[in-house]
Amino acid sequence: MAPTFKDLQLTGIGGRDSTAIDVADDDLEDVRLLDSYDDVYAKSSEESGMKRIQVKVTGMTCAACSTSVEGALMSLNGVVSASVALLQHKADVLFDLNLVKEDDVKNAIEDAGFEAEILKEQNTNRTTKPQGGTLVGQFTIGGMTCAACVNSVEGILRKLNGVSRAVVSLPTSLGEVEYDPLIISKEEIVNAIEDAGFDASFVQSSEQDKIILGVVGVMSELDAQTLEGILCNLKGVKQFGFSRLSKELDVLFDTEILGPRSLVDAIVRESSGRFQLHVKNPFTRMVSQDEEESSKMYRLFTSSLLLSFPIFLMRFICPHIPLLYALLLKRCGPFQMGDWLNWILVTLVQFVIGKRFYIAAFRALRNGSTNMDVLVALGTTAAYVYSVYALLYGAITGFWSPTYFETSAMLITFVLLGKYLESLAKGKTSDAIKKLVELVPATALLLVKDKGGKNVGEREIDALLIQPGDVLKVLPGTKVPVDGHVVWGSSYVNESMVTGESAPVLKEVDSLVIGGTINFHGLLHVQATKIGSDTVLSQIISLVETAQMSKAPIQKFADYVASIFVPTVVGLSFLTFLAWYISGYLGAYSDEWLPVNGNHFDFALMFAISVVVIACPCALGLATPTAVMVATGVGANNGVLIKGGEALERAQKVQYVIFDKTGTLTQGKATVTTVKVFTEMDRGDFLRLLASAEASSEHPLAKAILEYTRHFQFFEASKDSEHQNDGSAMSAWLLDVFDFHAVPGRGVQCLIDGKSILVGNRSLLTENGIEIPTHVENFVVDLEENAKTGILVAYDSELIGAVGVADPLKREAAVVVEGLKKMGVRPIMVTGDNWRTARAVAKEVDIQDIRAEVMPAGKADVIRSFQKDGSIVAMVGDGINDSPALAAADVGIAIGAGTDIAIEAADYVLMKNNLEDVITAIDLSRKTFTRIRLNYVFAMAYNVISIPIAAGVLFPWLRLKLPPWVAGACMALSSVSVVCSSLLLRRYRKPRLTTILEITVE
């Protein structure tokens, strides 16, 4: 199991044991010990009666001394926090001025046997506190078996002071906690989880100035001290902790002084190569923890099976083998030989191998909750205790009742088998993340340059140590290590694993490349621009992982059932026992139904135990999260990123899909098709004015105009100079522009040569008092009826020309719209363009319902108008102006070629710029929730049918009786069945449009 790092302290919150080492050098003497408290917090603290001081402490020689000082300070009433740094011989104390004075702090330290001196305050500039105030940390949580465990852990985490959000996922055994490091540390979060009875360890957080390194070469305590000495003297290292058990080094460093690679290189250099370090990838650490959990379950199962198999033989096989049966019947003291063997073997299974059930059940009950472990512990203990009682009663009275040792042993064995199979199946639900993680190469070839920028060699480095600006060598057939751009070479790159686009993409100088993609035949030099969590692949992994952590609203049903399930089952078990025992005592059934040498008590007890162990809350708890996990992974493999279970649930109910026009239904690559000058102005001068006005605009139509005028200017300029740089010539050709500003939904206006120029639609010109002649209006109407956008240009209050711009439709747009109609979804188009153009485009794709001349903010209003009657509305868009509408929609779908802001606001992200994936998103969500409903039907039906059978409802007529160990086997396999049902989603294939459209292809 992964280390819990209890011996590490990366934030200096006082009041807990730690062996953290705070590091300072001459340049860092003024760095405050508790760097996590920034100046703003300190100021607000003092304003509220709180004060922070630093105290020089003399006489400390070891960690025990610093702990003693810290304890003495925390014992003062009014001290909020205290952190003591052994190497700096300083203490940092935050206290309430109304309760504690500076002298009280000094006296407390001196009473503990050390000398103290209050240090004067010094102003220092610190930027160690991460922006945003809170951190998001991930923690592995072991020991959870059902939804009740999840509810228990989430409830405990949310009650912690400083925790603002906590989400726990049963399939991944992960918890995501948003917390304020000023109030609570990750160690305290781990301790809270462990106090609740679960195993916990920290995985990663959003801190950017921390790194976890695996260290090779530390063989002894002397080596560990050498490593600590190197870090103590290393400039920029603030805190660190080394786990001797796992050989992992946790380092907190100043990013302005030290980088991750510089840190690793410095340690290797100072140790003369004795220590080799590699960065621990948090995702691979989680995968290894999953494998460890499966291995642990396998060891427990095989051990239980080896001990239970002889018990099974003695119970069911040996009575048919006279020689062996005679040996088992041989008396040895008060009991027979078989009784002794049974008792010894079952005790080992019950209390050694089955210890985990008792521990988990105790923890659950202590926290006021119940789970599957309570049922297993209750059922097996009842069988074991009764069997021991029957043996002792027989030895004393001579009346030998039947024992049920095999029930306890075989029940635990089958439950462990179920847990092992479940852990294997659950591991497969996260295959998508594992595959994404494996895309990143472990190492990269760094080109080493001299001061003049000339390549002087290359070295192989850990891919996680790449820094922005590094130039990397990408060999043919290898993977691109990080996001960047090509600075030398050309090649084709396979990006299908990230974008889903199967065709290789040509990469030349200045082309952007994505980390994890495969270089085909050419050699490339790539300059890193994005590293770590900023890369496309890391963001995809993070998005998929966040989606798998989220809960669909339908999960609330399972959480409610889980909260009352176990108490209900225990109550039904007790009623079953009373019913059979009392009815037998009253003679309601024949004594022939009793087992040999049995009585009404043990007859009723077996039914009661069967009820306890056959009931399974796990299947209910796994029904939704496992399906959501598989679906998000399948979506990622198909180029559809889903941001959570809630979005997945809403998407399957979508009734309306609203499309933005530009860049969504159209290709977003507008081209100028027509230029008309209505005055005697030269065509070149007209284009020069137009390009100068549009040069500062980011609108797609403006870019199309600039592209057109660039080509025009190129041909004109080439007559004068064949060697002039095209870009510089374009800049020189443009006129100076003043007072430029864009008018949303209208166009742009500015001043050129002191005269006003307007470029935009009719509204822009009429609002500025410029009349549009009839012949110009007719020209623009003709453009619009041919699905082109007409742009008018006015200069010095005179309309001088017009430009026609066309944006071709995507080839799949019409087919996708028809496909949505076949699926029962109504398509709608919303655009800021004029009505004639909008109708022309809508006619081409067969959309009847359109909204034109809609301002960006108005798109959200259009969506709300459809939501008034409770309809579920999806919005598909790509631009910044679509982000309000994407956020307002029940399901926001951003195409991956769009802007980051649009993608941030959306619930679904289509990695390919292909509208067919809109159908994939809706279809996948529908199939996922069909699977979830089937899971719930199975889980509920299993319990509804199995519990009455286990209670003996059919016994009077069919003599059908489930022995407890058979009931346990059914219970173990039920949760495995639900997980395997969810895994069937891995066979999902994108719907073929020909199938949706009911077209027969010959």
Side-chain angles (χ1 to χ4, degrees), residues 886-943:
L886 289 170
D890 297 291
V891 180
I893 303 176
I895 56 178
T899 63
D900 292 339
I901 296 176
I903 292 172
E904 182 68 27
D907 300 301
Y908 280 70
V909 178
L910 310 183
M911 293 299 294
K912 290 186 291 184
N913 193 7
N914 192 324
L915 287 175
E916 291 180 23
D917 287 339
V918 173
I919 289 180
T920 302
I922 297 174
D923 182 67
L924 176 60
S925 66
R926 289 181 176 181
K927 284 186 168 56
T928 299
F929 271 81
T930 298
R931 180 61 56 184
I932 289 174
R933 292 186 186 99
L934 286 174
N935 287 350
Y936 275 128
V937 168
F938 174 79
M940 294 297 294
Y942 165 80
N943 285 294

Side-chain angles (χ1 to χ4, degrees), residues 227 244 318 350 573 604 622 723 864 903 916 925:
L227 176 62
R244 287 158 173 78
C318 289
Q350 182 77 32
S573 174
L622 292 168
H723 304 287
R864 295 187 188 99
I903 292 172
E916 291 180 23
S925 66

Side-chain angles (χ1 to χ4, degrees), residues 242-420:
F242 178 65
S243 171
R244 287 158 173 78
L245 180 64
S246 63
K247 298 294 190 292
E248 289 188 350
L249 177 65
D250 231 345
V251 184
L252 187 69
F253 57 93
D254 190 336
T255 54
E256 295 183 1
I257 299 176
L258 200 61
R261 189 166 76 232
S262 304
L263 171 66
V264 171
D265 290 345
I267 295 174
V268 173
R269 183 178 62 253
E270 293 298 323
S271 66
S272 301
R274 183 170 26 162
F275 302 136
Q276 296 299 319
L277 296 92
H278 58 276
V279 182
K280 287 283 188 176
N281 188 321
F283 296 108
T284 56
R285 292 172 73 213
M286 286 188 285
V287 170
S288 65
Q289 288 170 358
D290 291 340
E291 293 172 350
E292 287 177 9
E293 179 67 18
S294 296
S295 299
K296 180 182 177 182
M297 281 298 168
Y298 179 73
R299 289 194 300 270
L300 288 172
F301 164 66
T302 52
S303 301
S304 182
L305 180 64
L306 290 174
L307 293 173
S308 300
F309 189 67
I311 301 172
F312 177 82
L313 291 177
M314 287 186 285
R315 175 71 173 180
F316 299 103
I317 306 298
C318 289
H320 303 286
I321 304 175
L323 181 60
L324 290 177
Y325 195 52
L327 290 174
L328 294 176
L329 293 176
K330 186 176 181 181
R331 186 165 295 278
C332 181
F335 310 123
Q336 295 175 349
M337 184 65 70
D339 294 330
W340 282 112
L341 290 174
N342 273 324
W343 194 355
I344 293 171
L345 292 173
V346 171
T347 300
L348 292 174
V349 175
Q350 182 77 32
F351 299 108
V352 178
I353 296 174
K355 178 178 67 173
R356 66 183 304 276
F357 297 112
Y358 284 103
I359 294 173
F362 171 74
R363 291 168 172 172
L365 293 172
R366 185 180 63 183
N367 292 305
S369 62
T370 51
N371 57 16
M372 188 208 72
D373 297 302
V374 174
L375 296 179
V376 174
L378 186 62
T380 56
T381 302
Y384 179 84
V385 170
Y386 175 77
S387 299
V388 173
Y389 166 78
L391 276 183
L392 296 177
Y393 184 79
I396 295 172
T397 64
F399 179 79
W400 299 92
S401 298
T403 60
Y404 298 94
F405 281 122
E406 77 284 350
T407 294
S408 171
M410 294 175 69
L411 176 58
I412 289 175
T413 301
F414 279 117
V415 171
L416 290 173
L417 171 62
K419 286 295 172 189
Y420 171 61

Side-chain angles (χ1 to χ4, degrees), residues 518-563:
I518 300 176
N519 179 28
F520 275 177
H521 306 298
L523 178 66
L524 296 176
H525 288 181
V526 175
Q527 185 172 35
T529 55
K530 294 182 179 179
I531 63 168
S533 60
D534 292 330
T535 64
V536 170
L537 194 58
S538 293
Q539 290 175 358
I540 292 174
I541 293 171
S542 178
L543 198 146
V544 172
E545 192 177 50
T546 301
Q548 294 182 348
M549 289 287 298
S550 68
K551 287 187 178 182
I554 196 173
Q555 178 69 23
K556 294 178 182 178
F557 166 73
D559 292 343
Y560 170 74
V561 173
S563 66

Side-chain angles (χ1 to χ4, degrees), residues 385-596:
V385 170
Y386 175 77
S387 299
V388 173
Y389 166 78
L391 276 183
L392 296 177
Y393 184 79
I396 295 172
T397 64
F399 179 79
W400 299 92
S401 298
T403 60
Y404 298 94
F405 281 122
E406 77 284 350
T407 294
S408 171
M410 294 175 69
L411 176 58
I412 289 175
T413 301
F414 279 117
V415 171
L416 290 173
L417 171 62
K419 286 295 172 189
Y420 171 61
L421 295 176
E422 184 183 314
S423 65
L424 290 179
K426 282 161 60 178
K428 293 185 182 296
T429 62
S430 58
D431 275 352
I433 286 184
K434 295 176 185 175
K435 290 178 181 178
L436 288 170
V437 171
E438 290 169 358
L439 290 178
V440 183
T443 60
L445 284 176
L446 173 68
L447 294 178
V448 181
K449 298 185 177 184
D450 58 17
K451 294 181 179 179
K454 183 179 178 182
N455 292 336
V456 294
E458 59 186 51
R459 56 176 288 210
E460 189 174 30
I461 63 170
D462 194 315
L464 295 174
L465 294 176
I466 297 171
Q467 297 174 171
D470 286 346
V471 178
L472 308 166
K473 183 178 181 181
V474 184
L475 299 173
T478 61
K479 295 177 181 177
V480 178
V482 291
D483 295 2
H485 64 269
V486 178
V487 295
W488 181 87
S490 66
S491 178
Y492 280 90
V493 174
N494 180 7
E495 297 182 343
S496 61
M497 63 288 297
V498 177
T499 65
E501 193 68 59
S502 57
V505 182
L506 176 63
K507 300 296 181 181
E508 299 175 308
V509 174
D510 291 334
S511 297
L512 298 178
V513 291
I514 303 173
T517 55
I518 300 176
N519 179 28
F520 275 177
H521 306 298
L523 178 66
L524 296 176
H525 288 181
V526 175
Q527 185 172 35
T529 55
K530 294 182 179 179
I531 63 168
S533 60
D534 292 330
T535 64
V536 170
L537 194 58
S538 293
Q539 290 175 358
I540 292 174
I541 293 171
S542 178
L543 198 146
V544 172
E545 192 177 50
T546 301
Q548 294 182 348
M549 289 287 298
S550 68
K551 287 187 178 182
I554 196 173
Q555 178 69 23
K556 294 178 182 178
F557 166 73
D559 292 343
Y560 170 74
V561 173
S563 66
I564 62 173
F565 187 88
V566 174
T568 302
V569 169
V570 173
L572 289 174
S573 174
F574 183 67
L575 291 176
T576 299
F577 173 80
L578 289 180
W580 280 106
Y581 182 73
I582 293 174
S583 58
Y585 182 78
L586 297 176
Y589 57 82
S590 172
D591 288 347
E592 294 179 357
W593 292 7
L594 302 178
V596 179

Side-chain angles (χ1 to χ4, degrees), residues 564-887:
I564 62 173
F565 187 88
V566 174
T568 302
V569 169
V570 173
L572 289 174
S573 174
F574 183 67
L575 291 176
T576 299
F577 173 80
L578 289 180
W580 280 106
Y581 182 73
I582 293 174
S583 58
Y585 182 78
L586 297 176
Y589 57 82
S590 172
D591 288 347
E592 294 179 357
W593 292 7
L594 302 178
V596 179
N597 294 330
N599 53 47
H600 297 297
F601 181 86
D602 59 27
F603 183 66
L605 181 64
M606 289 301 104
F607 282 116
I609 293 175
S610 293
V611 170
V612 167
V613 297
I614 203 169
C616 183
C618 300
L620 280 170
L622 292 168
T624 298
T626 52
V628 170
M629 280 189 67
V630 177
T632 51
V634 168
N637 291 335
N638 284 280
V640 177
L641 300 183
I642 307 166
K643 289 191 177 179
E646 189 173 353
L648 197 65
E649 181 168 347
R650 288 197 301 264
Q652 51 103 20
K653 302 175 184 177
V654 164
Q655 296 163 275
Y656 298 95
V657 172
I658 297 178
F659 290 97
D660 175 52
K661 180 179 75 72
T662 305
T664 303
L665 287 174
T666 64
Q667 295 179 12
K669 298 177 181 177
T671 55
V672 175
T673 60
T674 308
V675 176
K676 181 75 171 177
V677 183
F678 299 118
T679 65
E680 295 181 359
M681 181 180 289
D682 180 72
R683 180 186 177 92
D685 293 336
F686 171 76
L687 290 177
R688 189 178 189 187
L689 280 172
L690 178 62
S692 301
E694 292 283 24
S696 300
S697 175
E698 291 295 325
H699 197 281
L701 298 183
K703 294 179 180 178
I705 291 172
L706 284 173
E707 182 67 18
Y708 178 83
T709 55
R710 186 184 70 82
H711 285 291
F712 175 84
Q713 183 272 336
F714 171 77
F715 288 119
E716 290 294 315
S718 63
K719 299 176 183 177
D720 303 322
S721 175
E722 296 182 359
H723 304 287
Q724 189 176 14
N725 179 271
D726 189 26
S728 60
M730 183 70 180
S731 300
W733 185 66
L734 295 176
L735 301 170
D736 293 332
V737 173
F738 302 92
D739 295 335
F740 172 90
H741 65 274
V743 183
R746 301 286 192 273
V748 300
Q749 62 184 64
C750 60
L751 294 176
I752 296 179
D753 293 334
K755 299 177 182 179
S756 173
I757 182 167
L758 306 174
V759 181
N761 56 22
R762 296 180 185 86
S763 299
L764 180 65
L765 270 66
T766 54
E767 288 173 1
N768 285 273
I770 299 176
E771 293 186 4
I772 302 174
T774 303
H775 69 282
V776 176
E777 176 67 22
N778 293 335
F779 176 79
V780 175
V781 168
D782 184 60
L783 289 174
E784 292 170 348
E785 288 177 347
N786 287 281
K788 297 177 183 178
T789 300
I791 299 175
L792 300 173
V793 183
Y795 182 59
D796 196 18
S797 301
E798 180 185 5
L799 200 156
I800 60 173
V803 177
V805 180
D807 187 1
L809 283 169
K810 292 179 179 176
R811 60 182 182 179
E812 74 277 6
V815 182
V816 168
V817 167
E818 182 65 20
L820 289 172
K821 292 178 181 178
K822 293 288 186 180
M823 295 172 70
V825 179
R826 183 177 167 187
I828 297 162
M829 187 181 79
V830 177
T831 178
D833 217 332
N834 63 82
W835 277 98
R836 288 190 184 88
T837 304
R839 288 193 184 100
V841 172
K843 184 178 179 181
E844 290 189 49
V845 294
D846 196 23
I847 293 179
Q848 282 77 37
D849 198 340
I850 58 176
R851 302 287 191 277
E853 299 179 3
V854 179
M855 303 289 284
K859 293 181 182 179
D861 294 331
V862 171
I863 289 172
R864 295 187 188 99
S865 69
F866 285 100
Q867 293 172 328
K868 285 180 180 178
D869 61 353
S871 298
I872 304 298
V873 181
M875 170 71 189
V876 184
D878 72 321
I880 293 175
N881 62 343
D882 296 326
S883 55
L886 289 170

Side-chain angles (χ1 to χ4, degrees), residues 53-73:
I53 63 171
Q54 286 192 350
V55 186
K56 182 179 180 181
V57 184
T58 306
M60 296 188 297
T61 58
C62 62
C65 298
S66 61
T67 302
S68 176
V69 173
E70 199 169 276
L73 291 170

